């Protein structure tokens, strides 16, 4: 089998969750050397032990610039370069109406989903420029393309899409590609919380996806892998819905 990521050093944030973990497994199957990170140090250590292949990692708080910088310093010390990154770390916030959302909740959601992605993209591009380029994939959401009930999450994911396009535009001629995946309802991670809601609500939400089903984490992982590989070498600034047709309905 042709391993499309053979020898490439790839960072995965939010690596211990549903989509993150499955993506790590898939990237390893494609020959990548992984650096994994998440908030929980014990979970990161356990993931490194469970995954079979070239894997290293450390814990990092995506909301803390110093913590993110320390994680990248460790990555640099271990591998000396970075070829690809999947910025997957993020959190949901339920359906809190705008007038009921306090500032602390707004800032928490923006910090982890948008500011954390910014901090990582900044460091990733710096590392990639040193070694001639690379590919970055940000995890946005269908709510980065459409409106959602939670104002902070919707704003943060729209921000991730804007950040993706801006970085892609500025660094395209320096061989750094930046794209985003925009998953719909996925039976993993935050999607499991949606699937645990009352059955009538779940059925209504699933029905908004024309394929009439939830997606699987593996379907996201394969799209991320393609965007990280040379198979997508002429693709940058793209926002890729993985949503069973949600955004075209």
């Amino acid at each position: 089998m042709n391993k499309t990521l053979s020898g490439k050093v790839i960072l995965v944030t939010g690596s211990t969750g549903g989509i993150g973990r499955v993506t790590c497994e898939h990237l390893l199957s494609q020959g990548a050397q992984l650096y994994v990170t998440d908030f929980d140090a014990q979970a990161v250590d356990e993931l490194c032990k469970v995954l079979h292949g070239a894997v290293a990692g450390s814990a990092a708080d995506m909301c803390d610039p110093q913590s993110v910088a320390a994680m990248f310093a460790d990555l640099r010390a271990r591998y000396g370069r970075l070829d690809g990154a999947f910025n997957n770390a993020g959190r949901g916030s339920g359906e809190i109406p705008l007038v009921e959302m306090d500032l602390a909740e707004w800032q928490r959601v923006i910090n982890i989903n948008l500011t954390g992605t910014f901090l990582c993209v900044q460091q990733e591009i710096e590392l990639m420029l040193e070694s001639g380029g690379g590919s970055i994939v940000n995890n946005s959401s269908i709510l980065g393309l459409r409106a959602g009930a939670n104002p902070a999450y919707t704003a943060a994911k729209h921000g991730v899409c804007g950040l993706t396009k801006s970085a892609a535009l500025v660094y395209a001629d320096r061989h750094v590609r930046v794209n985003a995946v925009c998953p719909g309802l996925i039976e993993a991670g935050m999607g499991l919380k949606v699937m645990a809601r009352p059955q009538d609500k779940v059925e209504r939400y699933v029905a908004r996806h024309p394929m009439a089903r939830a997606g699987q984490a593996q379907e996201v992982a394969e799209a991320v892998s393609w965007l990280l590989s040379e198979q997508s070498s002429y693709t940058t600034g793209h926002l890729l819905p993985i949503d069973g047709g949600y955004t075209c309905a």
Side-chain angles (χ1 to χ4, degrees):
M1 184 179 67
N2 180 29
K3 295 188 175 183
T4 60
L5 298 172
S6 182
K8 290 186 178 293
V9 175
I10 295 178
L11 165 69
V12 179
T13 75
S15 56
T16 66
I19 290 175
R21 189 185 185 101
V22 170
T23 301
C24 286
E25 293 169 351
H26 185 71
L27 297 180
L28 277 175
S29 77
Q30 295 304 304
Q33 300 179 65
L34 287 187
Y35 190 96
V36 298
T37 186
D38 214 315
F39 184 78
D40 187 328
Q42 182 176 347
V44 172
D45 289 343
E46 290 175 355
L47 180 63
C48 288
K49 293 175 183 177
V50 169
L51 292 175
H52 299 289
V55 184
S58 66
D61 180 354
M62 294 294 110
C63 300
D64 181 353
Q66 292 183 335
S67 180
V68 172
M71 180 269 289
F72 275 95
D74 185 61
L75 187 158
R76 182 191 293 270
R78 291 175 184 267
Y79 288 121
R81 74 179 200 277
L82 182 65
D83 303 304
F86 178 38
N87 295 313
N88 175 61
R91 292 186 64 178
S93 189
E95 296 182 353
I96 304 174
L98 191 148
V99 296
E100 297 176 18
M101 177 169 284
D102 60 31
L103 182 59
E105 176 66 4
W106 168 271
Q107 291 177 329
R108 183 184 70 82
V109 176
I110 295 293
N111 283 345
I112 182 61
N113 290 291
L114 180 55
T115 305
T117 301
F118 159 75
L119 292 172
C120 287
V121 169
Q122 191 175 51
Q123 297 262 0
E124 289 156 5
I125 290 176
E126 183 178 342
L127 261 172
M128 289 175 181
L129 290 176
E130 293 176 6
S131 55
S135 177
I136 296 170
V137 181
N138 296 322
N139 196 355
S140 182
S141 167
I142 52 173
L143 299 186
L145 303 173
R146 295 284 184 91
N150 184 288
Y153 189 79
T154 300
K157 291 303 187 178
H158 271 71
V160 170
C161 289
L163 173 65
T164 298
K165 289 185 174 183
S166 177
L169 177 67
V170 173
Y171 294 98
D173 64 350
R174 300 181 70 180
H175 310 293
V176 174
R177 298 186 296 110
V178 189
N179 295 285
V181 290
C182 301
L185 178 61
I186 305 296
E187 285 193 82
M190 289 184 285
L192 294 177
K193 295 181 180 180
V194 176
M195 300 295 287
R197 294 175 182 175
Q199 188 63 29
D200 60 330
K201 289 187 176 181
V202 174
E203 289 175 354
R204 286 199 299 271
Y205 190 50
V206 170
R208 295 175 67 181
H209 297 68
M211 286 189 178
R213 68 171 177 88
Q216 302 299 312
Q218 183 67 24
E219 293 172 303
V220 179
E222 291 176 0
V224 170
S225 180
W226 178 74
L227 288 169
L228 289 172
S229 76
E230 292 304 313
Q231 293 178 330
S232 61
S233 59
Y234 199 53
T235 302
T236 195
H238 185 55
L239 311 176
L240 177 60
I242 306 171
D243 63 0
Y246 182 104
T247 50
C248 68

